[in-house]
Amino acid sequence: MMFQRIHIELTNRCNFSCVFCPSSLMSRPPRDLEFNLVIKILDEIVQEKLTDTVFFHVMGEATLYGKLEDVIREASRRKLKTVLTTNGYGLSLELLDRIMNAGIDHILFSAQTPDADSFKLRKAPGSFFSYRKHICSLIAKIIERGTTKTTLSFLTTPIPFFTLPSKRYHILRNKRTLVAAFIDWFEEITAFMPDSAFKNKLYGKKKLLIKRLAAFRMMGWNKLKITWQLTFETRVLGDWIHQGLTAGKIAKASIGYCEGLQTHFGILSNGNMVFCCTDFDGKTTFGNIKETSLVEALMQKKAQDAIRGFKKLLVKDPYCQRCLGDASFDKSMARQVGSILYFKLYRPWWDRKREREDILV
């Protein structure tokens, strides 16, 4: 049993209160995952060869975890690839140096809202411009260091009435605003870089960068490699807490597909193991690391039924039936069929397309 990645939630505490995040609905109290349990998880992952990559994220902001540097160092000692997803606000230059020294492989900056208006959706401390300046300085530092990969990720809302039927969030709605946002951030990143032939070469590719950004699909999961270290990314903002999860009476899903327990699973800060990285409240818990091993939990009936079901495009777990269902029969069928088309056809095609693209510099 080998997964593409395993998500470890070091803490479910966060320093932002994004309106599109379900943190306000989370019933789990704020807490950190005990360090000894993190070590147990890492040891079992290696011993059982469950994955070669760990993501430090489900809910919460991992830079608030007091022993983040130690966790990364322990994972690196075990030859595991480490990915940190962060809003970056609490990531100081000093902490960045320490986690790079500890061996972090990839830092994904979940910047999400690239301009001053959309930044208000995050209910974050400080101003947008000070936030952007800080993130850009960190990215420039990472590139200068030359040992760690980094991704700058934005959200798009091209057709909110479809992707966000119960909300009206506006972030990046068209190609013009998307290109303009990335160029603004790109110019600030390069402004923080020391003068060098590489900086000049990078800035000399600005016209090609604009052309590549203009080729992004607003409904796609886009990734553009600027250098071997730096990637620009967009994701469509979906309705994380949709009517299928919040409505009283719904049309439950019977068919569909999800990557939970297929490519990954998550471990929450209270030790609960859950099907997927979007189960913010532990509704699909199939074991707790304090009481059982990862493999023993994965072999339990609840997990195995879900695994076998999704392989046959059948939705077995009650929570998954609600997650892939919706408030009406028509909407539920659209979500069910859409999940199969997206994960089985669209995502693989998109991955192959990205692999063929050249690095900008």
Side-chain angles (χ1 to χ4, degrees):
M1 190 179 299
M2 183 75 171
F3 298 90
Q4 290 180 9
R5 64 192 188 278
I6 294 175
H7 292 254
I8 303 174
E9 181 187 80
L10 298 177
T11 181
N12 63 347
R13 297 179 293 122
C14 193
N15 47 12
F16 280 18
S17 298
C18 304
V19 299
F20 44 78
C21 175
S23 58
S24 62
L25 301 176
M26 183 170 58
S27 65
R28 295 185 291 132
R31 64 174 298 161
D32 295 350
L33 183 62
E34 293 94 324
F35 183 70
N36 66 303
L37 292 179
V38 179
I39 298 303
K40 179 185 179 184
I41 292 167
L42 296 177
D43 282 340
E44 290 188 17
I45 288 173
V46 172
Q47 290 166 7
E48 302 295 341
K49 299 180 179 178
L50 294 176
T51 189
D52 59 6
T53 304
V54 292
F55 278 59
F56 297 120
H57 181 65
V58 177
M59 292 289 286
E61 170 54 45
T63 60
L64 298 178
Y65 189 73
K67 292 189 174 182
L68 177 60
E69 174 189 354
D70 298 323
V71 168
I72 293 169
R73 182 174 293 107
E74 292 298 329
S76 298
R77 284 176 179 170
R78 290 162 175 77
K79 309 300 182 186
L80 292 171
K81 297 176 184 176
T82 51
V83 182
L84 170 67
T85 299
T86 176
N87 59 41
Y89 182 84
L91 183 58
S92 65
L93 286 171
E94 292 76 18
L95 179 56
L96 177 63
D97 271 333
R98 295 203 306 272
I99 64 174
M100 285 197 292
N101 288 336
I104 188 72
D105 290 287
H106 195 149
I107 301 175
L108 192 156
F109 287 100
S110 186
Q112 312 291 40
T113 50
D115 56 38
D117 285 339
S118 60
F119 186 69
K120 296 173 185 176
L121 296 173
R122 308 197 74 179
K123 297 183 180 180
S127 72
F128 164 74
F129 294 103
S130 62
Y131 174 72
R132 185 177 69 182
K133 181 177 180 180
H134 177 61
I135 301 302
C136 290
S137 69
L138 295 174
I139 292 175
K141 180 72 172 179
I142 293 169
I143 295 172
E144 180 184 355
R145 180 74 172 265
T147 58
T148 302
K149 292 182 179 180
T150 185
T151 296
L152 177 64
S153 182
F154 294 157
L155 292 171
T156 62
T157 53
I159 44 175
F161 65 89
F162 177 74
T163 58
L164 297 162
S166 60
K167 315 282 193 318
R168 286 297 179 267
Y169 303 146
H170 299 296
I171 303 178
L172 293 176
R173 288 177 287 178
N174 53 56
K175 293 279 187 73
R176 180 182 57 81
T177 56
L178 183 151
V179 172
F182 271 119
I183 293 302
D184 285 346
W185 285 69
F186 172 79
E187 290 182 340
E188 188 140 11
I189 291 169
T190 55
F192 278 103
M193 297 173 65
D195 290 330
S196 65
F198 176 74
K199 176 180 178 177
N200 294 333
K201 184 178 181 180
L202 185 63
Y203 203 79
K205 294 287 186 176
K206 183 179 175 180
K207 289 184 178 180
L208 179 57
L209 171 59
I210 293 173
K211 182 178 179 181
R212 293 277 184 88
L213 290 171
F216 274 17
R217 285 179 169 84
M218 293 304 296
M219 283 298 293
W221 177 18
N222 302 281
K223 289 187 179 183
L224 173 59
K225 289 185 178 180
I226 310 301
T227 73
W228 75 267
Q229 283 183 274
L230 175 61
T231 298
F232 285 172
E233 173 186 270
T234 68
R235 287 174 177 267
V236 178
L237 174 59
D239 204 349
W240 196 342
I241 302 302
H242 59 88
Q243 293 186 61
L245 295 180
T246 57
K249 186 178 180 180
I250 66 162
K252 295 182 179 180
S254 58
I255 63 170
Y257 187 79
C258 175
E259 291 190 333
L261 287 179
Q262 309 297 310
T263 64
H264 71 281
F265 67 93
I267 305 168
L268 305 181
S269 56
N270 59 7
N272 283 345
M273 296 169 242
V274 293
F275 288 4
C276 69
C277 60
T278 61
D279 182 1
F280 68 94
D281 217 16
K283 300 298 185 184
T284 60
T285 296
F286 59 93
N288 189 291
I289 192 62
K290 299 175 185 177
E291 302 165 356
T292 186
S293 70
L294 297 177
V295 170
E296 288 171 343
L298 288 165
M299 295 308 296
Q300 294 297 314
K301 185 177 186 300
K302 179 173 182 174
Q304 286 297 308
D305 283 350
I307 291 171
R308 286 191 288 264
F310 280 128
K311 286 182 178 178
K312 297 178 181 179
L313 305 183
L314 300 175
V315 186
K316 296 292 188 179
D317 187 82
Y319 181 80
C320 300
Q321 290 173 350
R322 292 188 69 88
C323 185
L324 288 172
D326 216 315
S328 69
F329 176 79
D330 291 346
K331 290 181 179 179
S332 178
M333 286 306 301
R335 287 184 63 82
Q336 293 174 64
V337 175
S339 70
I340 297 171
L341 295 176
Y342 177 76
F343 285 114
K344 289 296 188 180
L345 298 177
Y346 183 70
R347 275 278 292 272
W349 172 82
W350 202 258
D351 288 339
R352 291 192 296 271
K353 180 180 181 298
R354 286 200 301 260
E355 289 174 359
R356 293 193 297 267
E357 293 177 350
D358 296 328
I359 296 175
L360 192 70
V361 176

